Amino acid sequence: MLTVLMECSDHETELAQTLSGLVSGAVEGLVSDVAVLDRGSSDGSARVADAAGCRFYREWVLSDVLLAARGEWLLFIEPGARLQKGWIDEVMEYIASGSRPARFSLARHCRRPFLKRLVGRAQPLEHGLLLTKRQALSKVAPGMDVKALVSGLKAVRLSSELIPARSLRAAG
């Protein structure tokens, strides 16, 4: 049903945090597979991905990874982001009836101050992104990375919350 994709570079700890939160989605039958797209990690990211049963790509072309995804829906998320309670049911419901890209809401305690939201731009994957495999394949271009693929897409806002990766980095 859903393939999760994460691009990483020396994100061993962050990867473990995010993957542990996806286990419940796999148990419920929502998450069919996870692909970790490496950007030259020298830490234990490959070990973490392997232990979790993920496909770990050291060298990759985004269009090939998208074609290999088992799910008809894709969830792009940053290593370190943590999906909060209720995400599984909402995503299952959304993919059964929705067709537009969707993003999660930031957890209340992780929202940026109002003025920073007005003048600053959020990172492309700060809220995660859910879209169909078909939509991703239609937008992907040679040499494109994940951030370029997801940038600029108009998305529906889901009520399920996500703690962004920047929160884990700030705590560490």
Side-chain angles (χ1 to χ4, degrees):
M1 289 190 83
L2 181 70
T3 295
V4 178
L5 295 110
M6 285 183 277
E7 193 171 352
C8 77
S9 177
D10 291 327
H11 289 104
E12 178 181 2
T13 303
E14 296 92 337
L15 192 57
Q17 287 277 337
T18 301
L19 291 172
S20 68
L22 295 173
V23 170
S24 56
V27 169
E28 293 292 325
L30 173 62
V31 176
S32 61
D33 62 321
V34 178
V36 178
L37 313 177
D38 186 54
R39 288 271 182 207
S41 295
S42 59
D43 64 357
S45 294
R47 273 192 319 276
V48 169
D50 183 56
C54 304
R55 286 178 286 131
F56 189 82
Y57 294 92
R58 288 191 190 281
E59 295 181 17
W60 48 274
V61 174
L62 187 54
S63 58
D64 294 342
V65 173
L66 296 175
L67 287 169
R70 291 186 199 144
E72 288 304 311
W73 280 84
L74 309 173
L75 172 59
F76 293 92
I77 191 168
E78 292 179 308
R82 288 150 298 160
L83 295 162
Q84 299 299 286
K85 185 177 179 177
W87 77 272
I88 296 169
D89 291 336
E90 185 174 18
V91 169
M92 284 180 143
E93 192 174 304
Y94 186 78
I95 65 177
S97 61
S99 61
R100 294 184 48 211
R103 295 187 190 277
F104 293 93
S105 297
L106 290 184
R108 286 180 180 83
H109 66 280
C110 296
R111 294 184 183 142
R112 295 177 194 265
F114 180 71
L115 287 176
K116 285 190 178 184
R117 283 183 280 170
L118 282 178
V119 296
R121 294 189 63 119
Q123 293 295 315
L125 287 175
E126 184 173 43
H127 296 258
L129 182 70
L130 183 65
L131 76 158
T132 66
K133 184 176 177 177
R134 181 182 301 156
Q135 291 165 335
L137 285 168
S138 71
K139 188 172 188 244
V140 72
M144 186 176 269
D145 67 359
V146 171
K147 286 183 181 175
L149 175 70
V150 303
S151 293
L153 287 175
K154 301 267 189 235
V156 172
R157 177 80 53 189
L158 301 174
S159 60
S160 296
E161 293 184 342
L162 171 143
I163 296 175
R166 66 176 159 77
S167 295
L168 185 61
R169 288 189 296 267

